[in-house]
Amino acid sequence: MQILAVSANSTFSQTTFAESLKLPYPLLSDFPERKTIRAYGILNERSMTAIRTFFLIDPQGVIRRKWVIENPGGTVVYSDVVLKGIEEVIGKP
Amino acid sequence: MMTGASRAARTAVRTRWGAGLGCLLAGGALLLSSPSCARADSTLGPLLKPLGLHEYPSRVVPPSLNGGTVDHQQLATRDLLGKVILVNFWASWCRDCRPEMPVLERLHRELGRQGFTVIGINAREARDVVHRYARELGLTFPLLLDPDGKLNTLYGVVGLPTTFILGRDGRAVGLAVGPREWDSPSARALLQALLAEPVPRPSAP
């Protein structure tokens, strides 16, 4: 299992963010092109930022689950929801 | 009297500029990518580690520091070239920010003649709040306003205080998330090492 995080922020901004939260997984910068974010269909054209979304991709590279967070300020994403999705796709560890 | 820390600082400077000369001659693109440049920068590590600073191995260029200050001045990155800069993100409600302020003010006054400056960037507060805070603490270093949080976002700041150290070449050297003892021998050794670097020549218009 590999977690990758993608945002429309610069690598400079992401470095600060990762250091602040001591994140144990890589942050990928899609700035300034926003190619990946657009390709995944989650670019907010007004703010030019990514709509907060989780994608679960299987070992064959197929997107198996997607969670779109419509109200990122007010929505808490519980890990058990995502873990349940992972278990349904690749089975329990 | 030269302390152990200042000796380490001077050694670091000599090593960095000795090893880095080829990088500088090779041009801007290579300055960022050449492995020998990265090795030269890594000699700052011993000065960054005691302060618990994150090190930028290839000295990336930070976002521009253009904006208006609390006393209606305009600050532009080009005016700061050649200075060692401590960029401190803060807010008046931030409990850990407050004790750092008199220390930063002291360093700003003491090392200003050598080419050091502190720049405070407030997080989303009104001018009158920042003005009152600055007057109360007697702050004279530039305090940039960031009412919509654009600079905070560009720098990726999610917690306060967050502090960046920039070298005379304008590139990022270190990052501190949370408060630090900026008046400690370790911090002074780092600042002196950076101040000892040559001032880069301004590029042709």
Side-chain angles (χ1 to χ4, degrees), chain A residues 14-77:
Chain A
Q14 290 187 339
T15 300
T16 314
F17 188 78
E19 178 71 14
S20 301
L21 302 178
K22 300 289 177 198
L23 298 179
Y25 51 83
L27 302 186
L28 309 178
S29 171
D30 194 12
F31 178 84
E33 290 87 356
R34 298 168 173 88
K35 270 187 193 168
T36 304
I37 294 169
R38 199 186 293 274
Y40 273 72
I42 53 163
L43 180 66
N44 180 330
E45 297 281 354
R46 201 163 57 89
S47 63
M48 292 306 280
T49 57
I51 298 165
R52 198 164 174 223
T53 311
F54 294 83
F55 292 93
L56 181 61
I57 302 171
D58 72 14
Q60 284 70 46
V62 177
I63 295 175
R64 300 289 295 273
R65 294 281 190 283
K66 177 174 138 181
W67 295 273
V68 182
I69 313 303
E70 301 288 358
N71 178 18
T75 307
V76 178
V77 183

Side-chain angles (χ1 to χ4, degrees), chain B residues 108-126:
Chain B
H108 178 74
R109 288 184 188 222
E110 193 182 317
L111 302 176
R113 281 170 185 255
Q114 294 179 54
F116 172 74
T117 189
V118 175
I119 293 174
I121 301 181
N122 176 261
R124 300 180 177 85
E125 291 186 294

Side-chain angles (χ1 to χ4, degrees), chain A residues 9-10 12-13 15-17 19-20, chain B residues 54 63 153-156 158 164:
Chain A
N9 300 100
S10 68
F12 190 91
S13 169
T15 300
T16 314
F17 188 78
E19 178 71 14
S20 301
Chain B
H54 168 84
T153 302
L154 278 173
Y155 274 76
V158 291
F164 300 85

